Amino acid sequence: MWKFITLILLPFCFSFLPAGKPVKPGTIITGADQTAAYLPYLKGKRVGMLANTTSIIGNRSIADSLHALGVNIKVIFGPEHGFRGNASNGAKVGDEIDPATGIPVISLYGQKRKPSAKDMAGIDIMIFDVQDVGCRFYTYINKLADIMEACAENNKELLILDRPNPNGYVDGPVLDMKLTSGIGKFPIPITHGMTIGEFAQMINGEGWLPGKQKCKIKVITVKHYAHHMDYTLPVAPSPNLNTQQSILLYPSLCLFEGTIISQGRGTHMPFTVLGNPDLKGKYTFSFTPVSIPGMSETPLHQDKVCYGLDLRQYDMTALRNSGKVNIQWMIEMYKAYPFKGKFFDMSQSKQMGNIDKLAGTTLFKQQIIAGKSEAEIRKSWEPQLSAYKTMRKKYLLYPE
């Protein structure tokens, strides 16, 4: 397996750091910011890249920066939310010419899942630089696999500019592969505890590409990073993860997309609050989802006052350091909700998802309904969770 993987740990080029902000010793330095490590490698090559608003060098788009440096970028591929990040959750995105650079942008979140053979014929190397948030149901790891598949099929190398995982712990039920979907394609827990570079190694090593193909990858590793470290994202990874709080709460609150409880879509504080109109009188905190173009056009409980939990003051450091997805909120909200039969009934709204596919198991919903304790629920995640943790260690590039 290892012949397919090259790691680069070369000196960092300081030319892209914001003026007046020298790097302190031990500062986390992303793969993209280490331009001296990969610019020579791109010289004379036709380049394709998978990028979005999180793909930055310093504080500027990587596409803009590399284009200005004369790198021959032939095509940019855009994931969910688009290359410039202005598409809502789940919205189909079309192809376009990027107005800033004149480079063709091909959407991989519409009719096309992966680059075609024709797309790949025009490039010599592919770059993947997208900030992930470390969750099974966040779609960028699926797009990583699609890009790896296209590279493997067309004998192209993939250059991964690695970035830290803000949710670097491992927790949750491992996906039952009978429940595979667009929000779960791999037998991994809710939080997989890996960077994109590490996850690419796992995809190769575990034979998760069709026909157990291998993709030749080169990883520019993050400097001064370990999985336990706090990492504040410099750019929102998607429209509804617009604060560091929402990013850290996302592994726990995204499960509520499989319920009648709003997670704050349709507000400017998504994934930091929970509520429902039927909880009036049980909670004093309230919010009202409305249509917000580019974030959530038709949110659950639109224009209705929702009552519930305000988690914006929750201790995020303690949450992350616990190394656990918080399932107590799900237990609490189910107990508080008066119409139990409606709680998981996705026929009520197109904005509700499938709780089994989100959790990765049919047991979770049954356990919540049955009133099982957190300890009982967590016990059912074994031995698969421990087996995953053991397997994961083979692919780590960074200390725990």
Side-chain angles (χ1 to χ4, degrees), residues 154 170 182 207 279 300 326-327 386 389 391:
N154 295 279
V170 179
L279 292 174
L300 183 66
N326 188 311
I327 59 175
S386 290
K389 289 178 179 179
M391 182 265 285

Side-chain angles (χ1 to χ4, degrees), residues 63-74:
D64 297 341
S65 297
L66 296 185
H67 179 70
L69 284 169
V71 174
N72 186 16
I73 304 173
K74 304 298 291 187

Side-chain angles (χ1 to χ4, degrees), residues 156-168:
K156 307 291 183 178
E157 186 173 18
L158 179 62
L159 175 66
I160 297 174
L161 305 181
D162 214 7
R163 293 181 177 274
N165 178 353
N167 293 300

Side-chain angles (χ1 to χ4, degrees), residues 237-255:
S238 52
N240 284 287
L241 292 184
N242 59 354
T243 64
Q244 186 69 7
Q245 294 167 321
S246 64
I247 291 163
L248 298 179
L249 286 164
Y250 179 73
S252 304
L253 267 58
C254 191
L255 287 170

Side-chain angles (χ1 to χ4, degrees), residues 145-308:
D146 292 339
I147 293 291
M148 289 178 65
E149 181 182 337
C151 287
E153 290 172 345
N154 295 279
N155 195 31
K156 307 291 183 178
E157 186 173 18
L158 179 62
L159 175 66
I160 297 174
L161 305 181
D162 214 7
R163 293 181 177 274
N165 178 353
N167 293 300
Y169 58 94
V170 179
D171 196 39
V174 172
L175 176 68
D176 179 345
M177 293 301 283
K178 295 177 182 177
L179 295 169
T180 56
S181 69
I183 53 171
K185 290 190 174 182
F186 308 104
I188 60 175
I190 289 175
T191 50
H192 52 71
M194 308 191 84
T195 67
I196 286 290
E198 291 171 327
F199 201 84
Q201 295 194 152
M202 182 180 284
I203 289 174
N204 264 347
E206 297 303 310
W208 288 345
L209 294 180
K212 298 188 181 298
Q213 299 174 93
K214 305 290 184 185
C215 172
K216 183 180 180 182
I217 64 175
K218 186 185 300 290
V219 181
I220 310 297
T221 55
V222 182
K223 284 190 174 184
H224 311 139
Y225 170 68
H227 285 283
H228 70 272
M229 292 180 175
D230 289 333
Y231 178 70
T232 299
L233 273 61
V235 177
S238 52
N240 284 287
L241 292 184
N242 59 354
T243 64
Q244 186 69 7
Q245 294 167 321
S246 64
I247 291 163
L248 298 179
L249 286 164
Y250 179 73
S252 304
L253 267 58
C254 191
L255 287 170
F256 283 92
E257 293 198 322
T259 76
I260 197 64
I261 304 296
S262 167
Q263 322 87 47
R265 289 191 186 273
T267 74
H268 290 285
M269 49 189 181
F271 292 105
T272 63
V273 297
L274 294 170
N276 180 285
D278 294 322
L279 292 174
K280 183 178 182 180
K282 297 197 174 185
Y283 296 93
T284 57
F285 171 72
S286 67
F287 60 91
T288 304
V290 298
S291 179
I292 303 177
M295 288 185 70
S296 186
E297 282 81 2
T298 57
L300 183 66
H301 307 309
Q302 183 174 336
D303 300 323
K304 297 179 181 178
V305 181
C306 295
Y307 299 85

Side-chain angles (χ1 to χ4, degrees), residues 45-83:
K45 294 179 180 177
R46 299 170 300 167
V47 176
M49 63 169 55
L50 189 290
N52 66 2
T53 54
T54 67
S55 314
I56 56 174
I57 296 175
N59 55 12
R60 188 184 185 192
S61 165
I62 188 173
D64 297 341
S65 297
L66 296 185
H67 179 70
L69 284 169
V71 174
N72 186 16
I73 304 173
K74 304 298 291 187
V75 61
I76 299 169
F77 298 95
E80 183 178 3
H81 310 296
F83 165 55

